[in-house]
Structure formats: structure tokens, C-alpha cells
Amino acid sequence: MNKKLLVTIFSCSLTLMSCGDWLDKLPQDKMSPETFFSNEKELQAYSNAFYNSFPSSSLYRDDLDNITHGSAASIMRDGRVVPSSGGGWDWGNLRNFNTLLEYSVNCDDANVRTRYDALARFFRAYFYFEKVKNFGDVPWYDRQINSDDEAMLKKPRDSREYVMQRMIEDIDYAIANLSKERSLYRVTRWTALALKARFCLFEGTFRKYHNISYPEHSWEYYLEQSAAAASELIEHSGYSLYTEGGKDVCYRNLFSSHRAQECEVILARNLNAEYKVYCDVGQYLTNKTYGRPGVTKKIINSYLMKDGTRFTDKPGYDKMSFMEECKNRDPRLAQSIRTPGYKRIGSTKQVAPDLATSITGYQPTKFLGTEAQDAGGTSDNDLIIFRLGEVYLNYAEARAELGKLTQADLDKTVNKLRDRVEMKHLSMNVANANIDPYLDNKATGYIGVTGPNKGVILEIRRERSIELLQENFRTSDILRWKEGQILTQRLLGIYFDSINKEVDLDGDGVPDVCLYEGAKPSDKDGVTYLEVEKDIILSDRNHGYIEPHRDTKFSFNEERDYLSPIPSNERTLTGGALTQNPGWEDGLHF
């Protein structure tokens, strides 16, 4: 189905006030469900709105330890409070899915009905995954609820085990009944397998590292489910990694293509300029009023050298100039941030990192298109929802955490990602025998990994952090691994050995930036002037790393912060049947 046609999909959205408001409201304007849903055209028209469940701008707005902004993420600085409403506790989309499932019986064609039931159940599983990630135990609703249904309105939370098993029932039904034909913009059997691999990996590792057990199913069960779903997709879907253009551009072009690359992308969000369906990624990455996103030095240090050796094993790695630290690195680095020699797509002009628009100096570039797409939020390049690269990493991690990983597993997953950019293969034996002290470190890495596969698990996490940088996975990864201590690590940027001098960041012989104190130097074309302690913060005042949050106190409450709080209004509406998550005080007592 072509890109132009698909953006004509109608959509609806519900403004959520309270339980009574949305539970009584028909999901579409003045439709009678008793007379609708009678054929495929009506089922498709109704279900088109389901695709609005997928994220848009949040896909490229990672904000935690690997990418930071003008303000550190609220979870890092004890900035979250119990909201009165909202906070992710919204249920309108769920009613839409359950409405279709209730009234699809109006369609006499059993095959059509089954296919759209499968679609609704896919989206219900996707919906509940987001709820479990945020809140843990949540109430399970598999039918429409009316405002006079007192018992369901005041329903307490179901256990995460109960909810996860209902999610698996839903996703297995979707896998069995959705089309096997690959589609860039429509949910298929392969999308369902990708979702199952994702949420079962989350659940298995969350239970393992948080030491959560239920008598019905162990953490191993969920990791087996994840690995099996990923394996089925890898072996039988026909997807392959996008490699066009070679190692120096293919990774960048995967995210900057106008139409998503169908060989690798399992599902994309369809954007289109003709119908004014855009995202604002160009503004976000290049405009100084959009938070000034900056990649942090910790993840920059994690990129290996081209020959597969560790950058952090090099003498003096921690105080290298920007130009020096970018030399001979994993090619994905130069395709993820501005490095020396960087040129915008469609331009022949070399541009250096812009420290006025990137808070750390390591300026992210993934998803960025042409300069013409920057102004006014007019990027119409597709956004990737599911892709094969993630599935590879999910499979490798699940197998490693189970203790069943083999070199053959790595060769068909992680090492294919490395082949794309002509990087040396990851060896399981070498990784386990020679654990990277930078990754196995409270100040710069992880503290919770143990066992005989410790080294290779850390290397898979490295690969995941690099391959999926800026794709909105980092927060859920840290939470499921129980690595909240990471959120107290320093957030650093480019190193400067001194100030009050012009610096050529990209080696073209022309100065790019001057950090100064006192009187501002005379302006020179092409130079960005930043006043120290006002426009830019250095770790040691007049030299050192850019440290935008130097004076911010980071903290993470291990007993509280792995889950989000339940809004107080929702607890009040249920008379306290909805209990609050541990550590969150809302002043309510029932």
C-alpha cells in the first residue's frame, strides 16, 4: 500500500477526564456500534485509529544518561511527584480496542473478523505493555465498561503475572491470525512476533534482576518466550539488515530515509509532506530552544575502535580532544553524532558540532534529514517502530541471560550488526575471559551482572546502547536491569584543556568555538562564543569536561523509582481499591 494513500487514515482521540467520562463515550463520533463493524471496510476504518497508539516525537527524544538536555531528566533529580491525573494512567485507547472486539461479531465474514480481532488484540497487548512498564500491577479490562458498572470501576489492580499472561494470550492470537505478508505501515504476524520478543525480554529480565517470582511462571519462562519469538522472526520472515551505500552511510540512511527501508523495518510510522503529517526532529536536533540535546561522554567512550579494541584501554582516552577521540572508531559513531567531516544530507558543506544547540557538544544526528526539513517541524521521513536490529539484540540478550548463548547465536545476531559497519566480531569466550572494566564499573557502567556470562552480557548491553541509541529504549532498559544507580552517574561532554582561545573542533583549519571568561572577544564569522559559567559549564570551572548539570544533585530511590505513581484522583475514584506504588506518598488514607 503506497505512502500517500495510508496517510488518509482517519483518526480519533479521546480527551480523558475521569473514569466516568471515557467509559461511557463511544470511540467514534455518533456511531452506533450495533449497526457498524459489519464488513471489512468498516472494521478497517475503525481500526485505523489504533495506529495512533504508537509514539511519534518521543521515539527520538531519549532523555537519561546517554542523552541529556538543558535540564536533567526528572527521574534523575527527584523531580517526580504524584500527579492528580494523567502521568500515563490513561485508558481511552483500551476502550477502542475492546469496542472492536465486542462488536466484530457484526461481521459475517469469519476470516475478516478473526483478522481484525487479532489486530485489536495486538494493540491491547501493546497498550498493557506500556502500563506494566510504568506501574507494575494494573487492572485488566477485556471488555467495555459503563459508568454504572460499580464493580469494574472500583476494580483493584491485577497482579503483573495475571496481566502478562493475558498479554501473551493476546499476542499469540495475533501471531496466529495476522497476515504473514510483510507490510511497512500495517501490523502483521511479524510485528506481533517483534512485540512479543520485546515485552517478554522486558518481563524476564525485570523479574530476574528485581528478584520477583510467581509460582505460575519464572523469569526464565519469559526469556524463553522472547527468544522463541525473535528466532521465529529471524528465521522465517525474510527481513535483512539495510546495507545500501556501505559501512560509512548505511546506518545513518536507515533512519534518515524518506520512506523507511523495507528490508529491515518491520513497522514504521508513516509521515507525508503532502498531507502535512510531520515530526519535529529537525527542529529538535538543530534549534537552541528545543532543549539542546547532547550525547554524553560515557556512551561516546563505549564505542569501540574500528579494529574492535576498547577505546577506554587507550592511554589518556579520558582527556583527548574531540578531534582525537573521534578517530578510527566504530563507524556508527560518525553516523550518530556530528564528528569531524560531518555533512548534512543533501549538502557538501562540512559542519562542526554546534555547542549552542547541543548541551554536551556531542550533537546527535540520527533521524535528521535535509536542512529544508528543520524549520517549522517539517520532517516527513518515516519513523521506525520495530526493526530487525532490535530483534537481533533481544534474541542475543535473552539467550545470554538464560545461560544458553552460543557463538552461533552471536554470529546470527550481534555480529551481523557489526558486519554491517565492518566491525570485528564479538567473541563470547573472549568477552567472558576479559571483562571490560569500564562497563563493569559503578561510575561508568553496571553493577548487577554476575555469573559465567557476565562479560558477554555486558558486551551485548554495549551493543544495544550503541545500535539503539536515541530510539527510546534506554529508560526501560535501565529499569528492567535494576540499574537505577546509573542515574546518579555524572553527565559529561567534550573535554577542553583550557579556555579563552578559539578551537577548531573538526580539523578543517577554521575555528568553530571559543569558551571565554571576562570580556567577550571580537566576533569572528563561523565562531560560536560561549561564556563560561553562563552559557556553558565546565567541570573544573576554567577547564575540563562540559558538565551541564554539575551543580544538580542526582539521586535515585531504589525502593520507589522503578515504578511510576498512580494518580491521586484515580485512587480517590476507586475509594482506595487502587493501591499506591511503594514509596509514593499521596496523602490519601482509606
Side-chain angles (χ1 to χ4, degrees):
M1 193 172 295
N2 71 42
K3 183 178 176 77
K4 181 176 177 180
L5 175 62
L6 278 168
V7 296
T8 64
I9 297 171
F10 82 91
S11 66
C12 74
S13 60
L14 298 177
T15 301
L16 305 178
M17 303 293 185
S18 67
C19 289
D21 291 323
W22 63 260
L23 288 172
D24 268 337
K25 189 179 293 186
L26 280 175
Q28 306 292 348
D29 184 31
K30 299 179 181 178
M31 290 192 312
S32 170
E34 289 77 11
T35 59
F36 202 69
F37 306 107
S38 62
N39 55 53
E40 181 165 13
K41 183 178 179 181
E42 292 176 349
L43 286 164
Q44 182 176 11
Y46 182 86
S47 63
N48 280 336
F50 294 178
Y51 288 83
N52 292 335
S53 303
F54 291 128
S56 181
S57 62
S58 62
L59 280 168
Y60 49 79
R61 273 186 159 89
D62 259 358
D63 182 25
L64 211 62
D65 65 318
N66 285 344
I67 298 178
T68 190
H69 296 78
S71 295
S74 60
I75 193 175
M76 302 182 72
R77 51 184 169 82
D78 198 21
R80 297 191 299 170
V81 297
V82 178
S84 58
S85 61
W89 193 266
D90 50 88
W91 299 81
N93 284 338
L94 178 62
R95 180 175 176 85
N96 294 345
F97 313 144
N98 285 339
T99 296
L100 186 147
L101 289 166
E102 181 171 341
Y103 291 105
S104 66
V105 294
N106 295 352
C107 179
D108 293 331
D109 189 324
N111 291 331
V112 169
R113 185 170 66 244
T114 298
R115 191 163 71 252
Y116 282 92
D117 282 354
L119 181 67
R121 294 183 73 169
F122 168 91
F123 276 101
R124 188 165 65 186
Y126 181 89
F127 172 91
Y128 266 104
F129 178 37
E130 295 303 311
K131 289 292 177 284
V132 171
K133 277 196 301 184
N134 284 325
F135 302 106
D137 298 348
V138 292
W140 174 264
Y141 298 106
D142 58 5
R143 61 179 177 85
Q144 296 185 88
I145 311 300
N146 295 317
S147 58
D148 59 356
D149 193 336
E150 194 78 6
M152 294 301 285
L153 286 172
K154 295 187 176 181
K155 189 179 191 300
R157 302 200 281 180
D158 290 298
S159 72
R160 67 185 300 143
E161 170 64 11
Y162 181 84
V163 174
M164 289 300 302
Q165 284 304 301
R166 303 294 77 73
M167 288 166 58
I168 286 180
E169 289 173 1
D170 275 354
I171 205 65
D172 283 348
Y173 186 90
I175 291 166
N177 293 291
L178 286 170
S179 173
K180 294 181 181 180
E181 182 178 351
R182 288 162 42 179
S183 173
L184 190 56
Y185 302 126
R186 292 286 184 185
V187 169
T188 67
R189 179 175 192 268
W190 312 115
T191 324
L193 283 165
L195 175 59
K196 185 176 184 181
R198 182 187 289 183
F199 77 64
C200 284
L201 177 70
F202 179 93
E203 188 64 12
T205 49
F206 191 96
R207 292 190 188 198
K208 177 179 180 179
Y209 286 103
H210 288 258
N211 195 27
I212 295 173
S213 62
Y214 290 91
E216 298 91 344
H217 296 96
S218 65
W219 60 265
E220 291 96 337
Y221 163 83
Y222 288 97
L223 293 182
E224 293 283 9
Q225 292 283 316
S226 175
S231 179
E232 176 72 11
L233 191 154
I234 292 167
E235 299 296 334
H236 300 292
S237 67
Y239 286 100
S240 61
L241 294 181
Y242 176 70
T243 59
E244 188 173 329
K247 67 181 178 67
D248 293 324
V249 297
C250 61
Y251 180 76
R252 178 185 74 168
N253 291 346
L254 173 64
F255 303 98
S256 298
S257 298
H258 177 62
R259 181 183 172 92
Q261 299 299 330
E262 296 182 67
C263 59
E264 178 171 349
V265 177
I266 300 165
L267 185 72
R269 184 147 196 164
N270 184 20
L271 305 182
N272 188 285
E274 183 175 352
Y275 290 91
K276 303 187 185 305
V277 181
Y278 301 117
C279 72
D280 66 353
V281 67
Q283 278 187 314
Y284 168 65
L285 294 176
T286 63
N287 190 309
K288 65 180 67 176
T289 64
Y290 270 65
R292 302 173 63 196
V295 179
T296 63
K297 189 169 186 63
K298 181 179 70 173
I299 185 64
I300 299 296
N301 288 346
S302 297
Y303 283 79
L304 299 172
M305 304 301 293
K306 275 185 180 178
D307 62 6
T309 58
R310 300 190 290 239
F311 171 71
T312 50
D313 286 347
K314 295 175 68 69
Y317 79 89
D318 55 331
K319 295 183 179 178
M320 284 185 180
S321 69
F322 176 72
M323 196 160 54
E324 283 298 313
E325 70 181 338
C326 290
K327 290 180 179 177
N328 301 315
R329 303 293 293 278
D330 180 335
R332 286 172 293 187
L333 178 60
Q335 297 174 70
S336 300
I337 67 167
R338 289 190 185 187
T339 56
Y342 173 78
K343 297 173 182 147
R344 288 290 300 269
I345 291 173
S347 173
T348 59
K349 180 183 177 182
Q350 180 174 318
V351 289
D354 183 355
L355 272 64
T357 58
S358 178
I359 198 79
T360 65
Y362 297 118
Q363 188 167 4
T365 60
K366 276 177 74 169
F367 302 99
L368 193 60
T370 64
E371 290 184 54
Q373 295 175 311
D374 292 351
T378 54
S379 175
D380 64 335
N381 295 336
D382 288 345
L383 295 176
I384 298 170
I385 307 295
F386 292 97
R387 68 181 178 97
L388 183 62
E390 181 213 341
V391 179
Y392 281 165
L393 292 162
N394 292 346
Y395 178 80
E397 183 181 346
R399 294 279 290 174
E401 293 285 5
L402 285 164
K404 296 182 178 182
L405 185 74
T406 66
Q407 187 61 45
D409 291 331
L410 288 176
D411 290 342
K412 72 178 185 180
T413 56
V414 171
N415 287 331
K416 284 192 174 182
L417 296 171
R418 293 194 174 188
D419 285 341
R420 167 162 44 197
V421 290
E422 299 181 16
M423 284 285 294
K424 184 178 179 180
H425 279 194
L426 172 61
S427 165
M428 180 175 171
N429 290 337
V430 171
N432 284 331
N434 185 21
I435 296 171
D436 185 354
Y438 191 82
L439 298 180
D440 184 26
N441 189 307
K442 186 173 183 179
T444 55
Y446 308 94
I447 61 173
V449 183
T450 59
N453 269 346
K454 178 177 181 175
V456 77
I457 288 173
L458 290 173
E459 290 299 330
I460 291 169
R461 290 187 182 186
R462 181 205 304 275
E463 197 71 23
R464 186 176 180 89
S465 299
I466 289 168
E467 178 69 22
L468 302 181
L469 180 71
Q470 202 187 330
E471 294 183 53
N472 199 31
F473 288 100
R474 186 61 175 172
T475 299
S476 61
D477 284 348
I478 287 175
L479 298 183
R480 68 187 174 88
W481 293 330
K482 203 177 186 294
E483 292 283 358
Q485 58 84 27
I486 282 177
L487 304 186
T488 65
Q489 295 171 354
R490 296 171 72 188
L491 302 180
L492 306 177
I494 293 175
Y495 181 80
F496 289 89
D497 60 6
S498 62
I499 60 173
N500 293 318
K501 66 179 183 181
E502 295 172 347
V503 178
D504 175 12
L505 288 172
D506 60 356
D508 64 354
V510 178
D512 301 301
V513 66
C514 176
L515 312 187
Y516 71 92
E517 62 179 352
K520 181 183 177 182
S522 300
D523 283 349
K524 183 181 290 187
D525 285 347
V527 178
T528 297
Y529 294 89
L530 300 170
E531 185 177 354
V532 174
E533 294 295 307
K534 180 181 178 183
D535 304 318
I536 193 166
I537 306 296
L538 297 181
S539 57
D540 298 298
R541 307 283 171 175
N542 61 2
H543 72 283
Y545 306 103
I546 298 175
E547 190 169 10
H549 312 304
R550 184 192 64 198
D551 301 323
T552 299
K553 178 178 173 57
F554 292 154
S555 65
F556 186 86
N557 186 330
E558 286 285 332
E559 305 305 316
R560 182 193 68 187
D561 287 340
Y562 288 106
L563 296 174
S564 296
I566 308 295
S568 56
N569 285 355
E570 301 300 328
R571 297 229 304 126
T572 299
L573 286 168
T574 64
L578 279 177
T579 56
Q580 188 56 272
N581 274 325
W584 293 103
E585 294 297 332
D586 57 15
L588 297 176
H589 304 281
F590 299 94

